[in-house]
Amino acid sequence: MPKITINGKEIEFEKGMTVLQACELAHVEIPRFCYHEKLSIAGNCRMCLVEMEKSPKPIASCAMPAVEGMNIKTNTVFVKKARKGVMEFLLANHPLDCPVCDQGGECDLQDQSMYYGIDKSRFAENKRQVKEKYMGPLIKTQMTRCIHCTRCVRFATEVAGVPEIGAIGRGENMEITTYLEKAMESELSGNVIDLCPVGALTSKPYIFEARPWELKKTESIDVMDAVGSNIRVDTYNWEVKRILPRLNNEINEEWISDKTRYSCDGLLKQRLDVPYIKKNNRLQKSSWDEAIELILNKIKSIQPDEIGGHIGDMINLENALAFKKLFKVLNSNNIEFREKKFYINSSEKINYIFNSSLKGIEDSDLILLIGTNPRHEATILNARIRKTFVQKGVPIFSIGNPGDLTYDYTVIGNKTDDIKKILNNEGEFSKKLLSAKKPIIVIGESALGLKSGKYIFEEVKNLLRKSNFIKKDWNALNFLPQNASTVGLIDLKVLSEENEKNYSFFEKLNNSKLKLLYLLGSDNLEIKKNNEFIIYQGSHGDRGAEIADLVLPSAAYTEQNGLYENLEGRVQECKKASYPIGEALEDWKIFNLIINKLGKTEDLSNFNLLRKEVLNSIPNFSKINELPIYKDSENKNKATNFTSEKVLIKELDYFYTNSISRASKTMSECRQINKDSKKTGTDN
């Protein structure tokens, strides 16, 4: 490996590195504003100046390639003087409004000016004034503070795939703006706020809410989709003020979706704080004793086979296991988590996870999407696909038309017949697939929900096995779930078994064979209510509470500890950041109350024992946050008959996918803008 000398110390570096990256290897901190490791190099700010031997001028370390034999100095008087000069220029037009700026306390310019700034300015002219720009309901602008680092421009173009932020003018008159000052239409738009090194772009919903040093910071994970993005929950007292991303290069890198970031205001709205019982067709406040007594009376008057339960999309593993234990006490197996019927082969782990891994997407050389829209179903995963497309030019194909995915792809058909052609090695795409070294096939819930869902999955798996694409170092078979709890619930076997005709739970539900239905955080299950007695247990007064006869208030995901499995099968911990509102309880505690009143021996009083049992139930589990390795057992599952039908991708109401986002004022505004933006007059 080539070597470079930094401050008298010799360091080995990889070819292609810049001087700045080499300095980081030597643990030498280089100040920067425009440089970001996930974006292209701009070299705008010049704050990263260093001294190079035999160079008469300081060099921009972010843009200078590291070369064998270089002698770099970063702490000389010459370097410090150069950086002080740059800082003086950056502060020349910058307003002195730190006390009222939301970036105060976590501002790169503020921090670096303390070291490199001077106590008085030589700039005697009038400071530049820039009109504020409109970038939608999420991003507040104060463009007079802008230092033209262009991080936001590069992010929008390179990562988000929506080149809506750009620059107009030159030099001092340069301004960052959106096209005709329209809202930035990307599910990743909020990340430009984190990228902005000054207070030019700040969070509009968070404006003047709190100072960073006043907030309690809790490291947790996101449950808005199945990706399991690593997040930090910032709370003031018990109230969640904001959600920020945590760095995890294997999952979300340092990005999160707008829904993850901004739906947190929904945690304060439409909350259930006390039990409610329906009397005279109206839900009326009640007590826990009265609610539990009503449940016991209903259970005693109904046969076990007439009791059904449905688990929602954001339920952690401990609560799901406790729910399963409750149904064991009730002698009922009618438990389900799917909102609609779709095929799942739960016999082995590789059938229901994303085997290639999120990071593994970057190693692929061909991607096929079958019945899925990753942009709305898993935004961060879609960003990985775009990254691979941009950096490597990987060809992307789709069965079914998902719409705009922020990258180019080829629709090779929209019927199951087109999938059959691939399975029979017919057509041009089959040749491309077989010639690939590391292909990825992503099967979505829309495809598995078809009559041919079982045929599609099992035959695709057989094809990949036969073509040696399911092996120790690479598995091309990938299932993309839409909900955070899906993979973990399959591991816990919280699903009804498929019989010859139909799915037992859905069969009983649709034929009104269930006289008591227990909804655990379930707000998206389509129910035609007849005479069922419905118990809803959840944190928000959403769709489930609207049809319920009894409502039990429980804690939201930020208000209780719990484990989740992301789409890769990676177990992660969601930590308690605040407290349940009013008389609301954690879900497992409610089940414990019911079981105790029933006088049964099943004990749910110890959360740690519940977690231990959960971890023992997960195949190949080793450690929390680690990606386990699953082997193919090569068990063959006979596919059902083929049915010719259209592959229609279910369109998600992206900003309204769950009870928290539907309660969010910010998500409502985003949804409205998204609807209005389609009315351009040129749409087909």
Side-chain angles (χ1 to χ4, degrees):
M1 291 179 72
K3 294 180 179 179
I4 187 172
T5 303
I6 299 171
N7 296 336
K9 186 179 177 182
E10 201 171 61
I11 300 292
E12 288 185 343
F13 67 94
E14 294 179 10
K15 284 185 178 180
M17 278 188 167
T18 62
V19 172
L20 188 149
Q21 291 170 325
C23 289
E24 288 182 339
L25 290 177
H27 304 290
V28 175
E29 187 176 348
I30 305 293
R32 81 291 298 268
F33 290 116
C34 68
Y35 175 79
H36 192 278
E37 52 272 14
K38 301 294 183 183
L39 305 175
S40 61
I41 296 169
N44 294 335
C45 72
R46 320 308 284 185
M47 196 64 204
C48 64
L49 294 175
V50 297
E51 184 179 351
M52 184 175 71
E53 191 177 58
K54 298 180 180 179
S55 174
K57 298 188 292 183
I59 63 167
S61 60
C62 71
M64 175 64 73
V67 179
E68 171 81 41
M70 272 186 172
N71 189 0
I72 303 294
K73 296 175 182 177
T74 68
N75 54 5
T76 62
V77 175
F78 179 66
V79 170
K80 288 179 181 178
K81 187 179 177 181
R83 291 174 181 173
K84 278 182 178 284
V86 171
M87 181 58 70
E88 188 175 8
F89 276 117
L90 290 174
L91 293 176
N93 283 306
H94 198 81
L96 303 176
D97 63 347
C98 295
V100 296
C101 178
D102 267 333
Q103 197 84 352
E106 47 190 14
C107 174
D108 292 348
L109 183 65
Q110 195 179 54
D111 294 341
Q112 293 181 38
S113 66
M114 289 294 290
Y115 191 81
Y116 295 104
I118 53 179
D119 58 351
K120 57 184 177 181
S121 174
R122 294 179 291 174
F123 189 79
E125 290 76 17
N126 292 328
K127 287 182 178 282
R128 176 189 62 174
Q129 294 290 323
V130 183
K131 182 185 173 185
E132 301 314 319
K133 313 298 182 184
Y134 175 75
M135 292 189 182
L138 306 179
I139 305 168
K140 182 182 183 301
T141 65
Q142 192 83 32
M143 302 313 291
T144 303
R145 300 170 184 159
C146 181
I147 62 170
H148 303 160
C149 71
T150 67
R151 280 186 179 184
C152 54
V153 177
R154 285 174 283 149
F155 174 83
T157 305
E158 297 165 14
V159 180
V162 283
E164 295 172 345
I165 300 180
I168 56 174
R170 297 187 69 183
E172 190 182 56
N173 297 318
M174 177 178 165
E175 295 181 16
I176 304 294
T177 183
T178 56
Y179 178 67
L180 296 179
E181 294 195 22
K182 64 189 286 257
M184 186 180 173
E185 293 172 16
S186 169
E187 294 79 17
L188 297 166
S189 65
N191 291 290
V192 300
I193 298 165
D194 298 333
L195 287 169
C196 184
V198 297
L201 304 176
T202 54
S203 175
K204 191 176 282 187
Y206 178 68
I207 182 172
F208 304 142
E209 285 288 324
R211 286 301 193 183
W213 56 83
E214 297 175 318
L215 301 171
K216 177 191 171 188
K217 301 166 180 67
T218 307
E219 293 186 349
S220 189
I221 61 160
D222 172 51
V223 299
M224 295 292 132
D225 56 33
V227 173
S229 298
N230 286 217
I231 60 172
R232 194 187 83 195
V233 183
D234 288 359
T235 55
Y236 185 80
N237 293 328
W238 65 272
E239 191 176 315
V240 177
K241 288 294 184 182
R242 65 178 182 177
I243 288 176
L244 298 176
R246 283 192 294 129
L247 176 65
N248 189 323
N249 284 320
E250 292 189 348
I251 301 175
N252 57 301
E253 298 184 282
E254 49 191 281
W255 323 123
I256 53 173
S257 69
D258 289 346
K259 186 164 58 176
T260 299
R261 186 186 298 269
Y262 288 112
S263 61
C264 60
D265 65 330
L267 292 165
L268 305 174
K269 311 290 185 184
Q270 299 181 19
R271 292 299 303 271
L272 299 172
D273 55 352
V274 295
Y276 289 85
I277 296 176
K278 187 170 282 185
K279 297 176 181 178
N280 300 320
N281 287 324
R282 291 188 66 183
L283 287 171
Q284 299 181 18
K285 288 185 179 181
S286 180
S287 65
W288 275 108
D289 289 337
E290 188 180 357
I292 298 297
E293 192 63 33
L294 178 60
I295 293 172
L296 297 181
N297 292 333
K298 288 291 178 181
I299 289 170
K300 290 173 183 177
S301 64
I302 298 172
Q303 295 296 318
D305 197 47
E306 297 174 330
I307 302 173
H310 192 270
I311 300 180
D313 55 334
M314 297 183 290
I315 303 300
N316 63 48
L317 297 182
E318 290 92 343
N319 289 332
L321 181 62
F323 191 62
K324 188 179 178 182
K325 285 179 175 291
L326 171 63
F327 268 70
K328 183 183 176 183
V329 167
L330 300 176
N331 294 318
S332 175
N333 295 318
N334 301 320
I335 309 180
E336 184 56 74
F337 71 88
R338 287 168 286 192
E339 294 155 7
K340 286 187 176 180
K341 293 181 287 186
F342 65 86
Y343 175 72
I344 293 175
N345 181 353
S346 61
S347 61
E348 54 183 335
K349 190 91 170 189
I350 68 165
N351 294 333
Y352 52 88
I353 62 171
F354 201 92
N355 293 287
S356 302
S357 78
L358 290 162
K359 194 175 181 181
I361 293 172
E362 298 178 25
D363 298 324
S364 65
D365 55 1
L366 182 145
I367 299 173
L368 172 64
L369 309 174
I370 302 178
T372 181
N373 178 347
R375 181 175 178 179
H376 290 163
E377 294 172 16
T379 304
I380 298 300
L381 182 147
N382 193 66
R384 285 272 192 181
I385 296 176
R386 172 172 169 77
K387 181 181 178 181
T388 309
F389 171 77
V390 171
Q391 294 185 355
K392 296 174 59 180
V394 171
I396 302 166
F397 303 88
S398 177
I399 302 287
N401 190 354
D404 184 7
L405 294 178
T406 71
Y407 45 81
D408 293 335
Y409 63 93
T410 304
V411 177
I412 55 176
N414 60 359
K415 295 185 73 175
T416 53
D417 300 85
D418 299 302
I419 302 174
K420 195 173 184 179
K421 285 180 183 176
I422 298 170
L423 298 172
N424 293 333
N425 293 330
E426 299 173 6
E428 285 297 315
F429 175 78
S430 295
K431 295 176 183 176
K432 292 177 182 177
L433 176 63
L434 294 174
S435 61
K437 293 180 180 178
K438 288 187 174 181
I440 284 178
I441 294 183
V442 184
I443 306 175
E445 291 184 12
S446 294
L448 297 179
L450 299 170
K451 293 176 182 176
S452 298
K454 184 176 180 179
Y455 172 88
I456 292 168
F457 181 85
E458 297 297 343
E459 291 303 322
V460 166
K461 184 181 177 182
N462 290 336
L463 174 66
L464 293 176
R465 206 183 256 161
K466 190 169 66 176
S467 306
N468 201 29
F469 291 140
I470 298 178
K471 48 189 177 180
K472 188 178 180 181
D473 60 338
W474 187 257
N475 191 334
L477 180 68
N478 299 283
F479 165 58
L480 179 55
Q482 294 180 3
N483 298 330
S485 56
T486 296
V487 174
L489 294 179
I490 299 173
D491 273 345
L492 295 179
K493 305 296 181 186
V494 186
L495 74 165
S496 61
E497 297 297 326
E498 184 187 3
N499 57 36
E500 292 181 0
K501 295 182 179 179
N502 212 321
Y503 298 77
S504 55
F505 174 85
F506 294 101
E507 185 183 15
K508 290 178 180 179
L509 180 68
N510 296 332
N511 294 326
S512 302
K513 292 180 180 179
L514 298 176
K515 292 184 179 180
L516 189 151
L517 183 60
Y518 203 136
L519 302 178
L520 175 58
S522 176
D523 293 287
N524 296 329
L525 181 66
E526 294 182 4
I527 306 170
K528 294 179 181 178
K529 191 174 185 318
N530 293 311
N531 298 318
E532 306 97 335
F533 183 83
I534 296 178
I535 303 169
Y536 174 77
Q537 182 174 313
S539 58
H540 285 70
D542 201 65
R543 296 168 181 171
E546 289 175 2
I547 59 171
D549 300 288
L550 172 64
V551 175
L552 304 176
S554 67
Y557 80 99
T558 55
E559 298 161 2
Q560 52 187 328
N561 295 312
L563 299 175
Y564 290 84
E565 272 192 88
N566 77 340
L567 50 79
E568 306 167 296
R570 190 193 305 264
V571 178
Q572 299 184 106
E573 187 176 7
C574 183
K575 293 182 180 178
K576 187 174 184 175
S578 60
Y579 298 92
I581 191 169
E583 296 179 22
L585 297 172
E586 295 176 37
D587 291 304
W588 65 274
K589 290 181 179 179
I590 299 173
F591 303 140
N592 193 43
L593 281 175
I594 298 171
I595 290 173
N596 287 340
K597 288 289 184 180
L598 286 168
K600 302 296 182 179
T601 56
E602 195 76 46
D603 185 17
L604 295 178
S605 59
N606 192 318
F607 181 79
N608 291 329
L609 289 177
L610 200 59
R611 173 168 288 188
K612 190 176 179 181
E613 191 174 343
V614 164
L615 295 176
N616 289 334
S617 302
I618 298 172
N620 288 43
F621 173 77
S622 55
K623 287 184 180 179
I624 289 175
N625 297 326
E626 284 192 4
L627 186 65
I629 299 171
Y630 303 103
K631 294 180 181 178
D632 180 23
S633 66
E634 298 187 7
N635 290 332
K636 290 188 178 181
N637 201 8
K638 193 177 179 183
T640 55
N641 294 330
F642 171 80
T643 304
S644 179
E645 52 193 319
K646 270 194 172 184
V647 180
L648 297 173
I649 300 169
K650 182 187 175 184
E651 189 174 346
L652 290 179
D653 194 348
Y654 177 74
F655 296 105
Y656 269 17
T657 52
N658 56 61
S659 58
I660 296 173
S661 62
R662 285 192 285 267
S664 166
K665 181 186 175 185
T666 308
M667 292 294 98
S668 180
E669 291 173 356
C670 291
R671 184 171 180 256
Q672 190 58 50
I673 285 175
N674 189 259
K675 279 186 174 181
D676 293 343
S677 68
K678 295 177 181 178
K679 300 173 183 178
T680 61
T682 59
D683 300 322
N684 294 325

